Amino acid sequence: MNVSIQNCTAILHAEFVGHSFNAIIDAVAIDSRSLQNSDTTLFFALVGPNNDAHFYIKELIAKGVQYFVVTHIPEDCQGKANFLVVKNTLLALQQLASYYRSLFHFPIIGITGSNGKTIVKEWLNFVLSPEYTIIRSPKSYNSQVGVPLSVIAINEQHNFGIFEAGISTVSEMEKLEPIIRPTIGVLTNIGSAHDEGFANTNEKIKEKLRLFDHSQILIYPKSDAIDALIRPELKTFSWSFYDPTADVFVSQKRMGTNTILNIAQKQEEFDITIPFQDEASIENVVSCVLVLLYLQYDFTTIQNRVAQLYPVEMRLKLKDGINNCSLIDDSYSADFQSLKIALDFLESQKQSSKKTLILSDIFQSGLTNDDLYARVGQLIVANKISRVIGIGPVISQFKNQFQNCVTFQTTSDFVSQIDQLHFENETILIKGARSFQFEKIVFALEEKTHETVLEINLNAISHNLNFYKSKMKPTTKMMVMVKAFGYGNGGFEIAKLLEHHKVDYLGVAFADEGISLKNAGIQLPIMVLNPESTSFSAIIQHQLEPEIYSIKGLKSFLKIAEQKNLHQFPIHIKLDTGMHRLGFEANTIDELITTLKGNQRVVVKSILSHMATSDAQEHQQFSLTQIRLFDELSTQLMRELDIQPIRHILNTSGINNFPQGQFDMVRLGIGLYGVSNEKEEQKYLENVSTLKSVISQIRTIPPGDSVGYGRRFMAKKTTQVATIPIGYADGISRLWGNEVGYVTINKQKASILGSVCMDMLMVNVTGIDCAEGDTVIVFGESPTVIEIAEKTHTIPYEILTRISQRVKRVFYRE
């Protein structure tokens, strides 16, 4: 985009304060952490329940950003940049996007629904791209912020748009409709997603239909509930599997791994073969077919293109690579907008200072190749990419746009020379259009491990973090626990994400955990909660901050501090208020004060305690007693030592149950990982960890045969048994065997037969449509770690933390 600040000021009805009224901006931004912000960026300082971007304006000015949309000008930024002052910065962003959308007059498809929006968008892009230069929402940018950012990416070369809109409550769609202003509407389906934001299903349907207030046509799955709420003047084009009165009636039958759909419209009908059998994919295909029919594509073209549809990977995956590399797998998409998103993800998850980009030719940019690759070159410089590997005939022509670049004509050419490129100790972003088959590159560079993986959803971690932030006072700091390898989920990767979210502290149990994070480049302050005196020297060397919980430990640390001539080294004083595990008790406070008074070797950075029963309502009075005692003892310390440290006592359950005990900081633990001790709170958390494996072998056994060690399962009838390559050495409790527990295969429960072995377990797949190589969910959405914990008489913490290090962790972002 190219819009003058003068024009922006008028559009937003803003007050301009600055010196460059006639400047031209070519990009908008909302993330202060992005390396892509520049002196031609207009930065919108959004204010949310958990964050206020006004706090980062000074930092952005130092980095060269000069134009800001704000609700107020921070005191220390007066006169240092140009400001457009408005009442609401999110509304201003939406107003600018709405204005910008009005400048373009080509067809735009607007997609909403409970599920399938992103899939339908990507498939429509695929089937329509031979005829059009398409702008579409990158990834799943469908929110109140994502939609305007998507629309602002339109340029003069685009002649077709596809945007998705997601809402979670009433009055949201009225803000998105003028931004998208679709000419063609597509409603995918109405499911249970975000039910909590609406009084009933009718209210949800009515809100979603507002996206189509100015559409020429609505394409939707016919139903009485939807029909009753569509405004009479809106032209519709409906489809159904069940209702013959729909405009298009669809019937289906399976053939091998494919499905044949019969499409009947008025007096005409034709068949299409699609490479899917699941209900959701079939519905999404039908939505695409109706768009093609509405646009008057002939039957043969529809048949050919729909037959080529493919599973859409919507996730950016972080994987371990060869030679201490880490890989970001975005191997099915190469467009300019998603490249910008992937580069931001690379920066937030880089595991070494060396960053490599493997990039294919970019399609559907709406730019000339000269302009496109010049802009890509600017992105690469801004993101400090160490080297570029281009693959494709077009990008090879623009090799001179990139520093330290080597190019190949084809993916096969690259793979054949991969050993000569010496990948080692670097973070590699692999981003390619689907036709380049970059999955071959991922396979070649990925560290080879067995087929069991623990997938960690970084979006869910961010969601859960923000959920708990919403319960905190704006001034309350947050420490997040990443001990025990991030509760089994992965230490560094999660720490890096938390650093990206600018939490205040990380907490680990032992020094070696903190040293590992510091060596990996984590800059956040890290508290060691259970330091051994033998680790004090290493703690000092690596700038960790120890918790001190005894006079003996304090004197030992002070002795080393004196030897090393330290001055005000940060320590944290632990008080025992009733947990009776570690900490100074009330009768030792006087000696603690005497020991610390006047000592300049250390500084008390925080005072803390630990609650024993914050999750148990029956012990509420005990918890309140702990909070009161902590307040008394910490106040005494502060008064006697004349200090103002951070005070903290609340853990995850305490954040919810005892808001009066927030003090200066809280410590978030298991809640970050999607587990709550309270059923009501659990509804608001997202699942973070999914343990997956595959079926190694399937066999059929007759009645009377047994399965596994000790013949603990005896078949009473002919039984199909699948073997899964995961066992107690991977962290699966033997208590979960013998038909107590189950795994999920193709959305069906398969009970575990006999004893769990060291490296394998066997399950009953009788009546389940499955094959060797199919994916197995060991835990995640079903079964949950909470369910497993209940049935094996333990707690979710243990289920997560005992997953073996030999199980590969794969981190991804939707």
Side-chain angles (χ1 to χ4, degrees), residues 556-778:
S556 176
F557 190 83
L558 289 175
K559 182 177 180 180
I560 294 174
E562 186 170 357
Q563 291 170 355
K564 294 182 179 293
N565 196 28
L566 299 181
H567 179 69
Q568 294 201 329
F569 193 91
I571 64 171
H572 302 263
I573 298 299
K574 175 74 168 287
L575 304 179
D576 181 3
T577 56
M579 181 78 167
H580 296 330
R581 187 171 65 179
L582 292 174
F584 292 93
E585 295 180 284
N587 61 7
T588 63
I589 295 298
D590 289 341
E591 186 177 1
L592 170 63
I593 292 170
T594 301
T595 307
L596 283 174
K597 206 160 197 175
N599 194 304
Q600 295 299 307
R601 300 296 181 190
V602 296
V603 60
V604 178
K605 197 70 178 288
S606 84
I607 303 172
L608 67 147
S609 188
H610 195 79
M611 298 183 74
T613 59
S614 62
D615 60 334
Q617 288 299 312
E618 65 269 26
H619 295 298
Q620 185 180 40
Q621 286 305 313
F622 182 80
S623 294
L624 292 172
T625 299
Q626 280 197 275
I627 292 172
R628 283 194 297 270
L629 181 57
F630 174 69
D631 192 17
E632 292 170 10
L633 296 180
S634 59
T635 299
Q636 182 185 354
L637 277 172
M638 292 163 65
R639 183 179 61 250
E640 296 286 341
L641 296 174
D642 192 22
I643 57 175
Q644 290 296 321
I646 300 166
R647 294 193 292 170
H648 49 112
I649 187 172
L650 298 186
N651 54 8
T652 296
S653 295
I655 294 171
N656 186 55
N657 294 329
F658 299 96
Q660 69 272 39
Q662 285 188 17
F663 292 97
D664 306 302
M665 186 162 72
V666 298
R667 301 189 301 273
L668 178 60
I670 193 72
L672 181 76
Y673 306 97
V675 177
S676 172
N677 292 313
E678 299 174 37
K679 288 183 179 179
E680 189 60 32
E681 184 175 83
Q682 186 65 46
K683 297 176 184 177
Y684 298 97
L685 299 180
E686 292 186 358
N687 179 66
V688 168
S689 308
T690 302
L691 183 58
K692 292 183 176 181
S693 194
V694 298
I695 297 175
S696 296
Q697 190 176 30
I698 297 176
R699 61 175 46 79
T700 301
I701 63 173
D705 273 19
S706 61
V707 174
Y709 288 118
R711 306 193 73 197
R712 290 185 174 88
F713 173 79
M714 304 290 292
K716 296 178 180 178
K717 57 183 180 180
T718 300
T719 305
Q720 270 199 313
V721 180
T723 300
I724 318 298
I726 184 172
Y728 61 76
D730 301 293
I732 307 303
S733 172
R734 282 168 53 83
L735 295 174
W736 190 232
N738 296 308
E739 298 180 274
V740 172
Y742 66 93
V743 300
T744 299
I745 300 173
N746 295 333
K747 299 183 179 180
Q748 292 185 267
K749 293 182 179 181
S751 59
I752 298 173
L753 303 178
S755 297
V756 174
C757 307
M758 179 180 287
D759 309 299
M760 287 171 278
L761 55 81
M762 288 71 74
V763 300
N764 187 346
V765 294
T766 307
I768 297 176
D769 184 10
C770 61
E772 293 173 0
D774 280 2
T775 297
V776 176
I777 306 297
V778 182

Side-chain angles (χ1 to χ4, degrees), residues 329-487:
D329 180 2
D330 196 12
S331 55
Y332 293 96
S333 171
D335 60 86
F336 186 66
Q337 292 305 312
S338 67
L339 174 62
K340 295 167 73 174
I341 295 169
L343 287 169
D344 278 339
F345 183 66
L346 169 62
E347 178 61 22
S348 71
Q349 285 295 318
K350 65 181 181 185
Q351 299 192 12
S352 62
S353 58
K354 186 177 180 182
K355 297 185 290 186
T356 295
L357 170 63
I358 302 176
L359 180 66
S360 78
D361 289 348
I362 294 175
F363 303 127
Q364 291 291 317
S365 70
L367 303 169
T368 65
N369 284 334
D370 287 336
D371 190 11
L372 169 63
Y373 289 101
R375 295 191 188 196
V376 172
Q378 292 168 2
L379 282 181
I380 287 167
V381 171
N383 283 272
K384 301 175 183 177
I385 301 300
S386 307
R387 67 166 166 169
V388 178
I389 297 170
I391 300 176
V394 179
I395 198 172
S396 295
Q397 297 173 27
F398 293 88
K399 177 180 177 180
N400 60 351
Q401 294 280 1
F402 318 119
Q403 292 182 345
N404 194 18
C405 176
V406 60
T407 60
F408 299 87
Q409 290 291 309
T410 67
T411 301
S412 297
D413 292 342
F414 166 78
V415 171
S416 67
Q417 299 184 48
I418 206 166
D419 292 339
Q420 284 72 52
L421 294 168
H422 306 295
F423 292 99
E424 187 175 11
N425 298 317
E426 55 197 294
T427 303
I428 307 167
L429 170 59
I430 302 169
K431 186 159 186 61
R434 186 175 183 275
S435 59
F436 282 87
Q437 298 181 302
F438 269 22
E439 64 271 17
K440 295 178 181 178
I441 297 175
V442 175
F443 180 80
L445 292 176
E446 190 174 5
E447 185 179 55
K448 302 303 182 285
T449 57
H450 67 79
E451 294 171 297
T452 297
V453 299
L454 184 66
E455 291 189 348
I456 294 96
N457 185 338
L458 297 176
N459 291 77
I461 289 180
S462 297
H463 168 88
N464 297 338
L465 176 69
N466 287 329
F467 171 76
Y468 285 102
K469 277 187 175 181
S470 70
K471 293 176 172 289
M472 294 161 48
K473 301 170 188 173
T475 56
T476 304
K477 299 179 185 294
M478 178 175 281
M479 172 188 287
V480 180
M481 310 308 297
V482 291
K483 61 182 181 177
F485 193 54
Y487 289 64

Side-chain angles (χ1 to χ4, degrees), residues 7 109 123 128 197 373 552 580 725:
N7 202 5
I109 297 175
W123 282 352
L128 295 174
Y373 289 101
K552 180 182 177 182
H580 296 330

Side-chain angles (χ1 to χ4, degrees), residues 199-224:
N200 50 52
T201 301
N202 276 0
E203 185 176 70
K204 179 193 288 190
I205 296 171
K206 192 173 182 179
E207 182 70 18
K208 289 184 181 293
L209 288 174
R210 296 191 71 170
L211 179 60
F212 315 120
D213 280 353
H214 298 89
S215 298
Q216 298 168 5
I217 187 77
L218 169 61
I219 294 167
Y220 75 106
K222 187 174 179 59
S223 79
D224 292 341

